[in-house]
Amino acid sequence: MSVLSPQRGPDLKNRSSSRFADPMFRWLVTIAGTTVLIVLALMVVRTVQEAWPILQHEGFFGFLFGTEWQAGYSRNEITGTYGAWPFIYGTIVTAVVGIIIALPLALAVALYLTQLAPSRLRNPLSYTVEMLAAVPSIIFGMWGFFWLMPNVLRPYVLEPLERTFGWFFLFEGPVYGTSYLSAGIILAIMILPIMTAIFREVFAVNSIDQQYAAYGLGATRFEVMRKVILPSSFSGIVGGTMLGLGRALGETVAVLFLVGGAQTLSTSLAQPGNTMAAHIANTFQDASPETVQGLMAIGVALFIVTMTINVLARLLVWRLGRMTGDSAV
């Protein structure tokens, strides 16, 4: 009886190429990571440098919380008044409206695709949802402005809300069509695919043993989704939500069509407004040198808002992770 010897694997010792491959790979990935930080730093420094005359003239907090925007036309001095708060307010409101609408829809679609959908429908539905991410933003904007807003949003959403809840400050009239709510709805449609894709992947890798254990204890399918899958996927849900929020904060063309372009503050979602990215895109082409500096300052404000929201999101995840004991968070 012969004894089979174990198959020998590749000899990884005493190979001259490994002496150079490992250090080279370490240097390559280090350079790649450092390059990202350098590019980000250069972008921030250059933007702040271009916006510095406006920030110095208005004051940092005066610029962020000022409510009047009257651009000047000088080449060598600051003659206008620059307050970015209406644009910051509009950016936050439209993004929050988009997240409020998209989050439950994305969770429901992801749960259906991973837990409830028949196998013959799962892939076609997944491809259909993901195809929305391939649609250019200008197509969303044109479709929203020329069809969705006049045929659906205004007669069936905005006007009924104003008639029923017009006494409440969030839905005060008059209704124009272009509004914070219209822009938020189109943002929800745009960020739905990426949030759904992330949630679906998170739910798909959820521990099957925990699900079987819950079924063994008599839990229904709905209880398994609500008490097992969703809690254990919390970090992934927050990550997908923050990614969608980041897309909503920086969206430009689609919001430009539907937000209205008004440089005023309104607490009503049915009223037109403006966002930072939309205002930059709308005025940059014909802007004077002084106005360009003001638009660069808005870019700095957009960067600050984005970073602040991301930091707060990380603190929220860390805090809730400590309270729930979720090590994955």
Side-chain angles (χ1 to χ4, degrees):
M1 180 176 181
S2 61
V3 180
L4 297 177
S5 60
Q7 184 177 1
R8 295 183 61 185
D11 186 9
L12 299 179
K13 297 181 179 180
N14 299 324
R15 301 181 66 180
S16 59
S17 61
S18 63
R19 301 177 182 177
F20 304 99
D22 289 346
M24 183 179 297
F25 178 75
R26 182 170 62 251
W27 278 107
L28 285 176
V29 296
T30 302
I31 292 172
T34 306
T35 301
V36 174
L37 297 177
I38 293 175
V39 170
L40 179 62
L42 289 175
M43 182 172 58
V44 173
V45 170
R46 184 59 180 175
T47 306
V48 172
Q49 183 180 2
E50 292 290 334
W52 185 252
I54 299 295
L55 299 176
Q56 190 176 27
H57 179 267
E58 299 290 342
F60 180 72
F61 292 103
F63 173 77
L64 289 181
F65 298 104
T67 58
E68 183 180 358
W69 182 276
Q70 296 291 336
Y73 299 94
S74 175
R75 289 181 174 271
N76 303 316
E77 57 182 351
I78 305 302
T79 60
T81 302
Y82 300 91
W85 180 243
F87 312 120
I88 297 174
Y89 174 80
T91 301
I92 296 174
V93 168
T94 54
V96 170
V97 170
I99 286 293
I100 291 175
I101 297 173
L103 179 58
L105 289 176
L107 288 174
V109 173
L111 286 172
Y112 178 76
L113 291 176
T114 57
Q115 304 296 321
L116 301 174
S119 57
R120 65 180 182 275
L121 294 179
R122 189 168 300 164
N123 288 334
L125 289 176
S126 299
Y127 296 149
T128 302
V129 173
E130 291 173 357
M131 280 182 61
L132 289 174
V135 179
S137 60
I138 191 170
I139 301 300
F140 278 110
M142 295 174 62
W143 170 73
F145 183 80
F146 291 108
W147 186 84
L148 185 66
M149 186 265 292
N151 295 301
V152 178
L153 295 183
R154 182 169 182 173
Y156 299 110
V157 178
L158 295 174
E159 291 180 352
L161 284 174
E162 193 273 335
R163 287 195 301 266
T164 306
F165 303 104
W167 51 268
F168 190 53
F169 71 94
L170 286 179
F171 304 107
E172 290 179 345
V175 173
Y176 298 100
T178 53
S179 62
Y180 294 121
L181 185 57
S182 298
I185 290 174
I186 205 69
L187 282 177
I189 298 174
M190 295 181 66
I191 65 179
L192 180 63
I194 188 171
M195 293 177 63
T196 301
I198 295 174
F199 295 163
R200 187 187 63 192
E201 295 300 323
V202 171
F203 296 157
V205 299
N206 192 268
S207 175
I208 195 66
D209 293 335
Q210 294 182 8
Q211 298 179 40
Y212 285 157
Y215 284 125
L217 294 174
T220 63
R221 179 172 292 183
F222 174 74
E223 290 174 333
V224 169
M225 289 188 289
R226 182 170 62 91
K227 297 183 178 181
V228 177
I229 297 177
L230 290 179
S232 60
S233 304
F234 175 77
S235 59
I237 293 173
V238 173
T241 303
M242 290 303 104
L243 192 59
L245 181 59
R247 169 75 188 276
L249 287 171
E251 181 53 46
T252 305
V253 178
V255 176
L256 178 62
F257 274 88
L258 291 166
V259 75
Q263 299 181 16
T264 57
L265 284 170
S266 176
T267 57
S268 175
L269 299 178
Q271 296 295 305
N274 213 338
T275 67
M276 289 184 280
H279 182 68
I280 292 173
N282 192 36
T283 60
F284 188 82
Q285 184 175 1
D286 300 323
S288 66
E290 178 186 343
T291 306
V292 170
Q293 293 176 338
L295 297 179
M296 296 296 283
I298 291 182
V300 174
L302 180 57
F303 179 79
I304 293 173
V305 170
T306 304
M307 290 299 297
T308 301
I309 290 178
N310 278 275
V311 169
L312 292 177
R314 293 303 304 173
L315 291 175
L316 175 64
V317 173
W318 174 77
R319 178 62 177 172
L320 293 179
R322 291 189 60 186
M323 293 173 60
T324 60
D326 186 1
S327 59
V329 177

